[in-house]
Coordinates of all heavy atoms in Angstrom, one line a residue:
T87 N 3.3 5.5 -3.3 CA 4.7 5.8 -2.8 C 4.9 5.1 -1.5 O 4.0 4.7 -0.9 CB 4.9 7.3 -2.6 OG1 4.0 7.8 -1.6 CG2 4.5 8.1 -3.9
R88 N 6.2 5.1 -1.1 CA 6.5 4.4 0.2 C 5.9 5.2 1.4 O 5.7 4.7 2.5 CB 8.0 4.3 0.4 CG 8.5 3.1 -0.5 CD 10.0 2.9 -0.2 NE 10.7 3.8 -1.1 CZ 11.9 4.2 -0.9 NH1 12.6 3.7 0.1 NH2 12.5 5.0 -1.7
A89 N 5.6 6.5 1.2 CA 5.0 7.3 2.2 C 3.5 7.1 2.4 O 3.0 7.6 3.4 CB 5.3 8.8 1.9
C90 N 2.9 6.4 1.5 CA 1.4 6.2 1.6 C 1.1 5.2 2.7 O 1.9 4.4 3.2 CB 0.9 5.6 0.3 SG 0.9 6.7 -1.1
Q91 N -0.1 5.4 3.2 CA -0.7 4.4 4.2 C -1.5 3.4 3.3 O -1.8 3.6 2.2 CB -1.7 5.1 5.1 CG -1.1 6.2 5.9 CD -0.3 5.7 7.0 OE1 -0.7 4.7 7.7 NE2 0.9 6.2 7.2
I92 N -1.7 2.2 3.9 CA -2.4 1.1 3.2 C -3.4 0.4 4.1 O -3.2 0.3 5.3 CB -1.3 0.1 2.6 CG1 -1.9 -0.7 1.5 CG2 -0.7 -0.7 3.7 CD1 -0.8 -1.4 0.7
R93 N -4.4 -0.1 3.4 CA -5.5 -0.8 4.1 C -5.8 -2.1 3.3 O -5.9 -2.0 2.1 CB -6.7 0.1 4.2 CG -7.9 -0.5 4.9 CD -9.1 0.4 5.0 NE -8.8 1.7 5.6 CZ -9.0 2.8 5.0 NH1 -9.6 2.9 3.9 NH2 -8.7 3.9 5.7
V94 N -5.8 -3.2 4.0 CA -6.2 -4.5 3.3 C -7.6 -4.9 3.8 O -7.8 -5.0 4.9 CB -5.2 -5.6 3.6 CG1 -5.6 -6.9 3.0 CG2 -3.8 -5.2 3.2
V95 N -8.5 -5.0 2.8 CA -9.9 -5.3 3.1 C -10.2 -6.7 2.5 O -9.9 -7.0 1.4 CB -10.8 -4.3 2.5 CG1 -12.3 -4.6 2.8 CG2 -10.5 -2.9 2.9
R96 N -10.8 -7.6 3.4 CA -11.2 -8.9 3.0 C -12.6 -9.2 3.3 O -13.0 -9.1 4.5 CB -10.3 -10.0 3.7 CG -10.5 -11.4 3.3 CD -9.6 -12.4 4.0 NE -8.2 -12.1 3.6 CZ -7.2 -12.3 4.5 NH1 -7.4 -12.8 5.7 NH2 -6.0 -12.0 4.1
D97 N -13.4 -9.4 2.4 CA -14.9 -9.7 2.6 C -15.5 -8.5 3.4 O -16.3 -8.8 4.3 CB -15.1 -11.0 3.3 CG -14.6 -12.2 2.5 OD1 -14.7 -12.2 1.3 OD2 -14.0 -13.1 3.1
G98 N -15.1 -7.3 3.1 CA -15.7 -6.1 3.7 C -15.2 -5.8 5.1 O -15.6 -4.9 5.7
I99 N -14.2 -6.6 5.5 CA -13.6 -6.4 6.9 C -12.2 -5.9 6.7 O -11.4 -6.5 5.9 CB -13.6 -7.7 7.7 CG1 -15.1 -8.2 7.9 CG2 -12.9 -7.5 9.0 CD1 -15.2 -9.6 8.4
V100 N -11.8 -4.8 7.4 CA -10.5 -4.3 7.3 C -9.6 -5.3 8.1 O -9.7 -5.4 9.3 CB -10.4 -2.9 7.9 CG1 -8.9 -2.4 7.9 CG2 -11.2 -1.9 7.1
M101 N -8.6 -5.9 7.4 CA -7.7 -6.9 8.0 C -6.5 -6.2 8.5 O -5.8 -6.7 9.5 CB -7.4 -8.0 7.0 CG -8.6 -8.7 6.5 SD -9.6 -9.6 7.7 CE -8.5 -10.8 8.2
Y102 N -6.0 -5.2 7.9 CA -4.8 -4.5 8.2 C -4.8 -3.0 7.8 O -5.4 -2.7 6.7 CB -3.6 -5.2 7.5 CG -2.3 -4.5 7.6 CD1 -1.5 -4.6 8.7 CD2 -1.8 -3.7 6.6 CE1 -0.3 -4.0 8.9 CE2 -0.6 -3.0 6.7 CZ 0.2 -3.2 7.9 OH 1.4 -2.5 8.0
T103 N -4.3 -2.2 8.7 CA -4.1 -0.8 8.3 C -2.7 -0.4 8.8 O -2.4 -0.7 10.0 CB -5.2 0.1 9.1 OG1 -6.5 -0.3 8.7 CG2 -4.9 1.6 8.7
G104 N -1.9 0.1 7.9 CA -0.5 0.4 8.3 C 0.2 1.1 7.2 O -0.3 1.8 6.4
K105 N 1.5 0.8 7.2 CA 2.5 1.5 6.3 C 3.0 0.5 5.3 O 3.1 -0.7 5.5 CB 3.6 2.1 7.1 CG 3.2 3.2 8.0 CD 4.4 3.8 8.7 CE 4.0 4.9 9.6 NZ 5.1 5.5 10.3
I106 N 3.5 1.1 4.2 CA 4.2 0.4 3.1 C 5.6 0.3 3.5 O 6.2 1.3 3.8 CB 4.0 1.0 1.7 CG1 2.5 1.0 1.3 CG2 4.9 0.4 0.7 CD1 2.2 1.7 0.0
K107 N 6.2 -0.9 3.5 CA 7.6 -1.1 3.8 C 8.5 -0.8 2.5 O 9.5 -0.1 2.6 CB 7.9 -2.5 4.3 CG 9.3 -2.7 4.8 CD 9.4 -4.1 5.4 CE 10.8 -4.4 5.9 NZ 10.8 -5.7 6.5
S108 N 8.1 -1.4 1.4 CA 8.8 -1.1 0.2 C 7.9 -1.3 -1.1 O 6.9 -2.0 -1.0 CB 10.0 -2.1 0.1 OG 9.5 -3.4 -0.1
V109 N 8.4 -0.7 -2.2 CA 7.7 -0.8 -3.5 C 8.8 -1.2 -4.5 O 9.8 -0.6 -4.5 CB 7.1 0.6 -3.9 CG1 6.4 0.5 -5.2 CG2 6.1 1.1 -2.8
Q110 N 8.4 -2.2 -5.3 CA 9.4 -2.7 -6.3 C 8.7 -2.6 -7.7 O 7.6 -2.9 -7.8 CB 9.8 -4.1 -6.0 CG 10.9 -4.3 -5.1 CD 11.4 -5.7 -5.0 OE1 10.8 -6.5 -4.3 NE2 12.4 -6.1 -5.8
R111 N 9.6 -2.3 -8.6 CA 9.2 -2.3 -10.0 C 10.2 -3.3 -10.7 O 11.4 -3.0 -10.7 CB 9.3 -0.9 -10.6 CG 9.0 -0.8 -12.1 CD 7.5 -0.6 -12.4 NE 7.4 -0.4 -13.8 CZ 6.7 -1.3 -14.5 NH1 6.1 -2.3 -14.0 NH2 6.6 -1.1 -15.8
E112 N 9.7 -4.4 -11.2 CA 10.5 -5.5 -11.7 C 11.5 -5.9 -10.5 O 11.0 -6.3 -9.5 CB 11.2 -5.1 -13.0 CG 10.2 -4.8 -14.1 CD 10.8 -4.6 -15.4 OE1 12.0 -4.8 -15.6 OE2 10.1 -4.2 -16.3
K113 N 12.8 -5.7 -10.6 CA 13.6 -6.2 -9.5 C 14.3 -5.0 -8.8 O 15.1 -5.1 -7.9 CB 14.8 -7.1 -10.0 CG 14.2 -8.4 -10.6 CD 15.3 -9.3 -10.9 CE 14.7 -10.6 -11.5 NZ 15.4 -11.8 -11.2
D114 N 13.8 -3.8 -9.1 CA 14.4 -2.6 -8.5 C 13.5 -1.9 -7.5 O 12.3 -1.9 -7.7 CB 14.6 -1.5 -9.6 CG 15.6 -2.0 -10.7 OD1 16.5 -2.7 -10.4 OD2 15.3 -1.7 -11.9
Q115 N 14.1 -1.5 -6.4 CA 13.3 -0.7 -5.4 C 13.1 0.7 -6.0 O 14.0 1.3 -6.6 CB 14.2 -0.5 -4.1 CG 14.5 -1.8 -3.4 CD 13.3 -2.3 -2.6 OE1 12.4 -1.5 -2.2 NE2 13.3 -3.6 -2.3
V116 N 11.8 1.2 -5.9 CA 11.5 2.5 -6.4 C 10.8 3.3 -5.4 O 10.3 2.8 -4.4 CB 10.6 2.3 -7.7 CG1 11.4 1.7 -8.8 CG2 9.3 1.6 -7.4
K117 N 10.7 4.6 -5.6 CA 10.1 5.5 -4.6 C 8.6 5.5 -4.9 O 7.8 5.7 -4.0 CB 10.7 6.9 -4.7 CG 12.1 7.0 -4.2 CD 12.6 8.4 -4.2 CE 14.0 8.4 -3.7 NZ 14.6 9.7 -3.6
E118 N 8.2 5.4 -6.2 CA 6.8 5.5 -6.5 C 6.5 4.7 -7.8 O 7.4 4.6 -8.7 CB 6.3 6.9 -6.6 CG 6.8 7.7 -7.8 CD 6.2 9.1 -7.9 OE1 6.1 9.7 -6.9 OE2 5.9 9.5 -9.0
V119 N 5.2 4.3 -8.0 CA 4.7 3.8 -9.2 C 3.4 4.5 -9.5 O 2.7 4.8 -8.6 CB 4.5 2.2 -9.2 CG1 5.8 1.5 -9.2 CG2 3.6 1.8 -8.1
T120 N 3.1 4.6 -10.8 CA 1.9 5.3 -11.2 C 0.8 4.3 -11.8 O 1.1 3.1 -12.0 CB 2.2 6.4 -12.2 OG1 2.8 5.8 -13.4 CG2 3.0 7.5 -11.7
K121 N -0.4 4.8 -12.0 CA -1.5 4.0 -12.5 C -1.1 3.3 -13.8 O -0.4 3.9 -14.6 CB -2.7 4.9 -12.7 CG -3.9 4.2 -13.2 CD -5.0 5.2 -13.4 CE -6.2 4.6 -13.9 NZ -7.3 5.5 -14.1
G122 N -1.4 2.0 -13.8 CA -1.2 1.2 -15.0 C 0.1 0.4 -15.0 O 0.4 -0.4 -15.9
M123 N 0.9 0.7 -14.0 CA 2.2 0.0 -13.9 C 2.1 -1.2 -12.9 O 1.4 -1.1 -11.9 CB 3.3 0.9 -13.3 CG 3.6 2.1 -14.2 SD 4.7 3.3 -13.5 CE 6.3 2.5 -13.9
D124 N 2.7 -2.3 -13.2 CA 2.8 -3.5 -12.3 C 3.9 -3.2 -11.2 O 4.9 -2.6 -11.5 CB 3.2 -4.7 -13.0 CG 2.1 -5.2 -13.9 OD1 0.9 -4.9 -13.7 OD2 2.4 -5.9 -14.9
C125 N 3.6 -3.6 -10.0 CA 4.6 -3.4 -8.9 C 4.4 -4.5 -7.9 O 3.4 -5.2 -7.8 CB 4.4 -2.0 -8.3 SG 3.0 -1.8 -7.4
G126 N 5.4 -4.6 -7.0 CA 5.3 -5.4 -5.8 C 5.3 -4.5 -4.6 O 6.1 -3.5 -4.5
I127 N 4.5 -4.8 -3.6 CA 4.4 -4.0 -2.4 C 4.6 -4.9 -1.2 O 4.0 -5.9 -1.1 CB 3.0 -3.3 -2.3 CG1 2.8 -2.3 -3.4 CG2 2.9 -2.5 -0.9 CD1 1.4 -1.8 -3.5
T128 N 5.5 -4.5 -0.3 CA 5.7 -5.2 1.0 C 5.2 -4.3 2.1 O 5.4 -3.1 2.1 CB 7.3 -5.4 1.2 OG1 7.8 -6.1 0.1 CG2 7.5 -6.2 2.5
L129 N 4.4 -4.9 3.0 CA 3.8 -4.2 4.1 C 4.6 -4.4 5.4 O 5.2 -5.4 5.6 CB 2.3 -4.7 4.3 CG 1.5 -4.8 3.1 CD1 0.1 -5.3 3.4 CD2 1.3 -3.4 2.4
E130 N 4.5 -3.4 6.2 CA 5.2 -3.5 7.5 C 4.3 -4.4 8.4 O 3.2 -4.2 8.6 CB 5.3 -2.1 8.2 CG 6.4 -1.3 7.6 CD 6.7 0.0 8.4 OE1 6.0 0.2 9.4 OE2 7.6 0.7 7.9

Side-chain angles (χ1 to χ4, degrees):
T87 67
R88 285 185 275 162
C90 291
Q91 299 288 313
I92 196 161
R93 181 181 302 128
V94 178
V95 180
R96 182 178 301 148
D97 298 324
I99 299 168
V100 176
M101 303 300 291
Y102 172 80
T103 300
K105 295 182 179 183
I106 295 174
K107 184 174 181 180
S108 68
V109 179
Q110 272 188 278
R111 176 92 175 114
E112 297 186 10
K113 294 187 181 208
D114 301 322
Q115 295 282 338
V116 294
K117 291 184 180 180
E118 70 177 40
V119 290
T120 57
K121 182 179 178 179
M123 299 174 84
D124 291 334
C125 70
I127 298 173
T128 305
L129 308 179
E130 286 188 359

